[in-house]
Each structure stands twice: as C-alpha cells, then as structure tokens.
C-alpha cells in the first residue's frame, strides 16, 4: 500500500511564506515526476508545480504562470519527499494543496495522491 501525507498548510497573511511537505510511504519504489496541485472553491484542480526525476532536490521543474517566481518545488529522493516553498503569498493562492507522485513500474506508471493540506492567505 502506498500513502502520501501532506503537511505545512495554515493561515498566513499576504506576502507571507509557507513550506509544504509531502512524504510517501509504503511499497512505492522508484518515483518519477512529483508534483503539487491545488483546488479552490468553485474551481477544478490545477497543476501548480512539478519536478522530474533526478538527484535529491534536483530535476527539471515546471511552474504554473500564477506562481512563477514565487514558488519553488524540490524533492528529496532518499526520503521520498517533495516540498513546495511558497513565498510572497497572495489571497488568490488560497486553496487545498495536493501532493502527487508518479511511480515507475514494470507494468507501467501509476499516479498517487495525498489528501491535501489547506492554505489560507488572508489579512
């Protein structure tokens, strides 16, 4: 069984920072792309950032336009963790943030999801 657990969400004022963490556990072995998504009320889930396989905290990264220059995704392969450093937070960043990981398997890739952690940006 594979489980993903997010943490680090909370209430912050505009301009503040938060760092989200996601830990994978269970039978997962080789992890390819790791990513963060978010979903706010009335909207569909959207991709925030992703990072490809590589060394610890390394890999090719991609960011959604609204968060470019403010968010940084990183990973620790040894610990099977992915992080999202969020700086200069804006009220529109308020959402439930979900971690996802793609497992490389002989039978083909499989994607797993966490349950989410809430981020609220308000003064």
């Amino acid at each position: 069984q594979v489980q993903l657990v997010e943490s680090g969400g909370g209430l912050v004022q505009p301009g503040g920072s938060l760092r989200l963490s996601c830990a994978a556990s269970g039978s997962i072995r080789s992890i390819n792309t790791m990513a963060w998504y978010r979903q706010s009320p009335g909207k569909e889930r959207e991709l925030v950032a992703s990072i490809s396989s590589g060394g610890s905290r390394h890999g090719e990264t991609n960011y959604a336009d609204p968060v470019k220059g403010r968010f940084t995704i990183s990973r620790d392969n040894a610990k099977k963790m992915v992080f999202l450093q969020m700086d200069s937070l804006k009220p529109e960043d308020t959402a439930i943030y979900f971690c996802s990981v793609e497992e490389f398997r002989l039978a083909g890739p499989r994607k797993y999801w966490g349950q989410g952690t809430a981020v609220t940006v308000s003064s």
Side-chain angles (χ1 to χ4, degrees), residues 2-111:
V2 176
Q3 293 182 329
L4 302 181
V5 180
E6 302 100 333
S7 62
L11 173 64
V12 296
Q13 61 184 7
S17 299
L18 282 175
R19 191 176 84 140
L20 306 183
S21 299
C22 173
S25 63
S27 60
I28 194 167
R29 291 182 172 87
S30 180
I31 300 174
N32 289 332
T33 301
M34 307 180 84
W36 287 95
Y37 291 75
R38 68 185 181 186
Q39 186 170 27
S40 57
K43 293 185 176 181
E44 71 270 24
R45 186 177 300 180
E46 63 179 359
L47 177 66
V48 176
S50 66
I51 182 168
S52 65
S53 62
S56 181
R57 300 186 185 278
H58 286 275
E60 190 71 24
T61 59
N62 293 101
Y63 299 92
D65 287 339
V67 308
K68 285 183 178 178
R70 300 188 297 117
F71 290 10
T72 303
I73 188 170
S74 61
R75 63 191 287 168
D76 186 328
N77 292 332
K79 296 181 179 179
K80 297 180 181 179
M81 296 185 71
V82 61
F83 309 91
L84 185 67
Q85 178 66 43
M86 305 184 293
D87 298 319
S88 301
L89 283 163
K90 303 175 180 179
E92 51 262 44
D93 294 320
T94 297
I96 305 297
Y97 284 72
F98 299 89
C99 167
S100 73
V101 302
E102 183 180 81
E103 179 188 25
F104 176 82
R105 304 186 309 147
L106 220 54
R110 176 173 291 179
K111 200 167 188 176

